[in-house]
Amino acid sequence: MIDALTDILQSIRMTGSVFSRAALAEPWGVESGTMNSGVFHAVVDGQAWVRLAKGGEAVRLDRGDIAFMPFGTNHLMMGAPDSKTRPIADLTTVDARGMGHLVVEGDGNHTSLICGSVHFDQVGAHPVFSMLPPLIVVRDRDGRLAGVVDTIIGLIAAEVDEGAPGSETVVARLTDALVVLMLRDFITRLEPGEGGWLGGLRDPGLALALGHIHRRPEHKWSVSELAAHAGMSRSAFFSKFRTLVGETPAEYLTRWRVHVGSHLLRNEDHSVAAAARKVGYASEAAFSNAFTRMTGVRPGAYRRSA
């Protein structure tokens, strides 16, 4: 599981930032609206409640807990589970540095939040995003996260409050680390049967097969060869893979090749033909068809926009 999970986490390309510092006193409640990036709220002090705007139960957040909406889904943040809410834009001011400040003054308990955004590269092409829920709550259930997460949140808060030269870069790097920790915590706590193929990483054989695909996407993987790496029969491997991953090994390989190809086009300035060869396609046309089917954009247009 470790190797496959490392491959997945290292392959997620993102840019994180903090857009707001919140100082709130009950009664308070805000509605985010749908956002065009992932968003998170980290509790620096006090407590809060979060739920998706379209339903679901409110979840309590205490100091060190984080609510993470990887797709920017409209959600509510509240001082109490039944608090009335207002659009967040109505309550936020922006300072000269471009930092938002959400302040609500009341007579009740105080809460301090760090609110940040995360822009992921090629969400549609990366297989991990098909398995993430719209709301992930990260909390320290067993003590293994407390020190690290609390330290990162504290460092982000200090950088935002001080506004020293270079603080924007420091906050971005700390935010990236925080998001990786959130994703790792979510994935490693899944049980088989939960979270689709992410939970399936707990199966040693499946994790080995996925690791081979991740490290050698250019290889012409057959079901028999992957089954041998997994230590399973061909039929048992194919059945388990399709059940847990939600698609066949060939379909997953295509998705992973497109994801790797998108990185080559965007960040390493490969031509479409060069990217196609590097991820195992015999022709540029075959790669272009797969890329367009997965992302909705032709690779040449994607490369030019990047």
Side-chain angles (χ1 to χ4, degrees), residues 45-193:
D45 199 18
Q47 70 174 47
W49 294 78
V50 60
R51 74 171 175 86
L52 298 178
K54 288 190 175 181
E57 294 185 2
V59 180
R60 174 172 165 165
L61 305 171
D62 294 304
R63 174 176 171 161
D65 294 346
I66 307 168
F68 178 38
M69 283 58 61
F71 310 111
T73 306
N74 188 14
H75 57 279
L76 311 178
M77 292 290 293
M78 303 162 288
D82 57 353
S83 296
K84 294 182 179 180
T85 61
R86 295 175 58 188
I88 193 170
D90 292 352
L91 299 170
T92 303
T93 60
V94 180
D95 64 21
R97 295 181 294 146
M99 178 60 60
H101 295 274
L102 174 61
V103 179
V104 176
E105 297 180 353
D107 299 325
N109 294 327
H110 289 256
T111 298
S112 176
L113 302 175
I114 291 276
C115 307
S117 63
V118 189
H119 292 269
F120 294 105
D121 182 28
Q122 280 297 299
V123 171
H126 199 298
V128 75
F129 292 101
S130 65
M131 294 293 126
L132 295 180
L135 168 63
I136 296 172
V137 174
V138 179
R139 57 166 50 95
D140 189 39
R141 299 182 183 93
D142 49 23
R144 71 187 189 191
L145 273 179
V148 176
V149 170
D150 202 46
T151 297
I152 292 178
I153 293 174
L155 288 171
I156 291 175
E159 289 290 333
V160 170
D161 292 343
E162 293 175 11
S167 62
E168 186 174 339
T169 300
V170 174
V171 168
R173 299 296 181 269
L174 290 170
T175 301
D176 290 349
L178 185 62
V179 173
V180 170
L181 286 172
M182 289 191 288
L183 290 172
R184 184 180 69 179
D185 181 71
F186 170 75
I187 293 170
T188 56
R189 292 184 189 277
L190 291 170
E191 297 294 338

Side-chain angles (χ1 to χ4, degrees), residues 248-289:
T248 67
E251 290 167 338
Y252 184 88
L253 175 60
T254 297
R255 188 180 299 278
W256 189 257
R257 283 175 166 176
V258 169
H259 166 67
V260 174
S262 70
H263 174 70
L264 295 174
L265 293 172
R266 183 180 184 89
N267 299 302
E268 298 189 20
D269 198 27
H270 281 56
S271 67
V272 175
R277 289 193 299 271
K278 199 158 187 176
V279 296
Y281 282 93
S283 71
E284 181 178 335
F287 172 67
S288 181
N289 289 337

